[in-house]
């Protein structure tokens, strides 16, 4: 079961992940979970790529796929392609991906809840 305090939700199409991206960062990394003013949870991700021609989006997908051990092809930006706040969708084996992502959050983002 997905924790409601986490920045992902299951939908009919797959698993939606809500991400806040900082491009032009010093390193590619996943930081923590933040809350917006409306209480929505976002996963903070920093990437070295510039926000030009989809380079930052590709970098975000690469960082998350590597951390979560899912294929890059299973991740896609479905909203916010030109915005810092993005919604990604994880397709393919949704149950398997949800389990991997939940485990990753348990191991790496303890105080973001």
């Amino acid at each position: 079961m997905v924790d409601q305090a986490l920045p992902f939700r299951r939908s009919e199409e797959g698993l939606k992940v809500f991400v806040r991206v900082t491009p032009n960062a010093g390193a590619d990394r996943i930081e923590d979970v933040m809350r917006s003013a409306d209480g929505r949870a976002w996963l903070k991700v920093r990437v070295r790529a510039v926000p030009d021609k989809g380079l930052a989006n590709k970098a975000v997908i690469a960082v998350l796929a590597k951390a979560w051990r899912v294929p890059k092809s299973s991740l896609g930006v479905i909203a916010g392609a030109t915005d810092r706040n993005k919604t990604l969708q994880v397709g393919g084996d949704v149950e398997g991906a949800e389990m991997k992502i939940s485990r990753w959050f348990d191991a790496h983002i303890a105080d973001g809840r």
Side-chain angles (χ1 to χ4, degrees):
M1 184 76 180
V2 175
D3 184 334
Q4 294 301 322
L6 294 176
F8 59 93
R9 306 283 180 273
R10 193 177 255 214
S11 71
E12 291 180 14
E13 299 83 27
L15 195 64
K16 291 184 179 181
V17 182
F18 308 103
V19 180
R20 170 86 175 166
V21 178
T22 301
N24 278 335
D28 293 339
R29 68 179 178 268
I30 303 169
E31 291 195 332
D32 58 14
V33 175
M34 62 172 281
R35 295 234 174 255
S36 58
D38 63 0
R40 190 173 193 186
W42 297 87
L43 181 61
K44 288 174 55 177
V45 178
R46 293 184 180 271
V47 294
R48 290 179 291 211
V50 295
D52 185 39
K53 300 178 185 170
L55 294 174
N57 292 340
K58 289 178 186 175
V60 168
I61 288 170
V63 167
L64 295 176
K66 183 177 180 181
W68 296 339
R69 299 180 184 199
V70 298
K72 286 190 276 188
S73 61
S74 70
L75 292 168
V77 177
I78 60 169
T82 59
D83 193 87
R84 286 181 182 251
N85 295 330
K86 301 178 185 304
T87 303
L88 279 70
Q89 183 167 300
V90 183
D93 177 14
V94 176
E95 288 184 22
E98 183 177 18
M99 187 180 309
K100 288 178 184 180
I101 294 168
S102 293
R103 285 183 187 153
W104 184 90
F105 271 94
D106 289 343
H108 295 91
I109 311 287
D111 51 82
R113 298 181 190 192

